[in-house]
Amino acid sequence: MSFPSPADLSAWGAPMPPRGAALLTDPLLNKGTAFTERERDALGLRGLLPPRIFTLEEQASRSLAAVHRKPDALEKYIYLTNLQNRNEVLFYRVVMDHIEEMVPLIYTPTVGQACLEYGAIFRRPRGLFLTLRDKGRIAEVLRHWPVQGIRLIVVTDGERILGLGDLGALGMGIPVGKLSLYTACAGVHPSYTLPITIDVGTDNQELLDGPVYIGLRQKRARGAEYDAFIAEFVEAVATVFPKALLQWEDFGNTNAFRLLGAYQQRLPSFNDDIQGTAAVALAGVMAALRVTGGTLADQTLLFLGAGEAGTGIADLYVAAATSAGMNEAEARARCWFVDSKGLVVQSRTDLAHHKRPYAHGHEYLPSLAEAVAALKPTALIGVSGMPQTFTQPIVEQMASLNQRPIVFALSNPTSKAECTAEQAYAWSDGRAIFASGSPFAEVEFKGRRHVPGQGNNIYIFPGVGLGVLASESREVTDAMFLAAARTLADMVDPADLDLGRVYPALTRIRDVSLRIATAVAANAHDSGLARASRPEDLAQDIRARMFQPVYREYA
């Protein structure tokens, strides 16, 4: 397998570390006050550091205390970002040792606020900004990145950042955060990763008029100009980083489906908003069925929001249901959508291409409440970005139709959730099986403890990416995401379900990612897509290649 192990210094991009002050400014190699006496002498560090030598554990304890002293989540995010830019091993040690506390700080929901403030809190660049000014020389700009063996790229054009809309170049917080999760949750070595923001302008006039916006001050390019730039970008990635996996992130609906379809066979690539969200939501439904009883074929899914996330979930549900024996038409008929204009039905003439497969022969209904009453869904799934749209009457109606109604409010960040966990439990008399995109605190209702499941893509994309990299798959397929969903659902144990949680505890995330990576890599080998040779023990081989945040001895 040519996906390299990080066990030697070549994994950091150089056979030997730099010396002196240069070493202290390299976040992948810097150990700060943990450099030993021997290392300080051998590497020209004598006098550049205070004399006391700390262990990694002592440094981590001090860093955690510093996080706790910060007054709010954004200040904690800024501190952790600076720590990552200074000492990556220490950063990942803190994150991994306190994963449930740290993930909401380095990603959702805090990353949403961080993106809104990105221009004001910008300290040093992390990743590449590709702009329209780079047209014709994107490959040259990619070669400016100091590490040549890039294997994993997360790219955004900033048009649809979480549920916050068009943030242009401020969206860089998303690929930076996603790649941090790849390392923390799946052990992809940080030196193999590259965050990229494609800046083609923004239609957010408030940003364009603001004093701290860091991107191009122009309206967003569209049409032929945009498509030509993206085409050049894809070809440049394939040329400069020929073994890289590309993850499309937070592109607008008009481009997300087009780009995935156009390029998913040109180079290994996927769209997490479409496919990752689909897998984590389907896994939650599968786990919930162990509580409600029944099969996928028995379900009626009603989605609020008919964008890339919702239709992606429906597509994967159809794939799962057909693999279990349903025909495709029957499976699609179990999925219904309400968009901003009402129920998606055949009589409507305003439907985008991706909505038409789910436009059924039913009378038009203008509201979600009417759709719930008429369709009697077993699961209500919110991917709308519209907060508080799962109202008390709607949740009460779901509870009257189902002994254990499935209510997933998946929109991010927390401020965009369709309802809160507390509301879902209260309005359903404690019977709802609830999941959300961002974390909610535990809820005590009528003497019972409820732990809401977080249907976060963190459970899916790191493992999928690791499996694709390990197998060197030529393509990322829907079958891989279905395998990931099934693996995740199988890892929900009875104790989780007893608490109302349809996902494993986040403390198990590395085990989850390893299991998913193994399933994805096995699928790549079985389907003939793998370019790497198959090891005797696939899981053990992948486990051995997972980055561990420990200091190496340099002398």
Side-chain angles (χ1 to χ4, degrees), residues 227-242:
D227 289 349
F229 191 84
I230 295 294
E232 183 187 349
F233 165 71
V234 170
E235 292 306 314
V237 168
T239 299
V240 179
F241 305 122

Side-chain angles (χ1 to χ4, degrees), residues 312-336:
I313 297 168
D315 287 346
L316 198 61
Y317 165 84
V318 170
T322 53
S323 71
M326 290 183 77
N327 68 52
E328 184 174 329
E330 290 173 335
R332 288 191 184 279
R334 310 300 293 185
C335 300
W336 296 80

Side-chain angles (χ1 to χ4, degrees), residues 48 95 103 120 137 192 196 208 218 221 247 447 451 466 474 529:
L48 298 180
V95 170
V103 164
R137 54 177 186 171
Y192 304 148
I196 294 179
L208 293 175
Q218 67 173 64
Q247 177 174 319
V451 180
L466 179 60
R474 291 190 297 273
L529 292 172

Side-chain angles (χ1 to χ4, degrees), residues 234-443:
V234 170
E235 292 306 314
V237 168
T239 299
V240 179
F241 305 122
K243 291 187 175 182
L245 165 65
L246 179 67
Q247 177 174 319
W248 305 96
E249 192 69 34
D250 285 359
F251 285 73
N253 288 339
T254 55
N255 291 319
F257 293 98
R258 291 191 313 109
L259 298 180
L260 179 63
Y263 297 116
Q264 62 183 343
Q265 294 181 332
R266 173 65 184 91
L267 75 174
S269 57
F270 69 94
N271 185 303
D272 186 51
D273 302 303
I274 299 172
Q275 296 157 292
T277 299
V280 76
L282 180 63
V285 171
M286 288 175 167
L289 295 183
R290 290 160 55 187
V291 176
T292 65
T295 66
L296 284 176
D298 301 325
Q299 308 310 303
T300 299
L301 310 183
L302 178 58
F303 297 86
L304 178 64
E308 54 203 84
T311 54
I313 297 168
D315 287 346
L316 198 61
Y317 165 84
V318 170
T322 53
S323 71
M326 290 183 77
N327 68 52
E328 184 174 329
E330 290 173 335
R332 288 191 184 279
R334 310 300 293 185
C335 300
W336 296 80
F337 286 85
V338 172
D339 65 10
S340 61
K341 297 181 181 178
L343 188 64
V344 173
V345 292
Q346 290 176 353
S347 60
R348 286 178 52 181
T349 60
D350 61 345
L351 297 177
H353 177 76
H354 65 274
K355 300 180 186 181
R356 292 172 192 162
Y358 297 102
H360 305 311
H362 192 282
E363 67 173 315
Y364 168 74
L365 299 172
S367 71
L368 177 64
E370 291 169 287
V372 170
L375 300 173
K376 299 178 172 52
T378 57
L380 182 62
I381 300 174
V383 283
S384 66
M386 299 296 294
Q388 294 297 300
T389 41
F390 289 176
T391 62
Q392 183 171 350
I394 287 173
V395 175
E396 289 176 343
Q397 177 78 347
M398 286 292 297
S400 72
L401 294 169
N402 305 278
Q403 178 60 31
R404 298 298 304 274
I406 298 172
V407 179
F408 287 2
L410 300 181
S411 291
N412 282 317
T414 309
S415 61
K416 300 294 183 179
E418 286 78 9
C419 69
T420 68
E422 186 174 14
Q423 289 169 336
Y425 296 131
W427 296 340
S428 65
D429 196 31
R431 292 185 283 117
I433 301 174
F434 177 82
S436 57
S438 289
F440 281 100
E442 296 180 7
V443 175

Side-chain angles (χ1 to χ4, degrees), residues 185 491 507-516 546:
C185 301
M491 293 192 72
T507 52
R508 298 174 59 198
I509 189 61
R510 278 223 162 185
D511 290 337
V512 170
S513 295
L514 176 60
R515 285 270 297 273
I516 288 176
M546 294 173 71

Side-chain angles (χ1 to χ4, degrees), residues 142-157:
L142 291 180
R143 291 189 177 97
H144 291 167
W145 191 247
V147 179
Q148 298 307 304
I150 292 300
R151 302 298 302 278
L152 179 59
I153 295 170
V154 176
V155 62
T156 186
D157 72 351

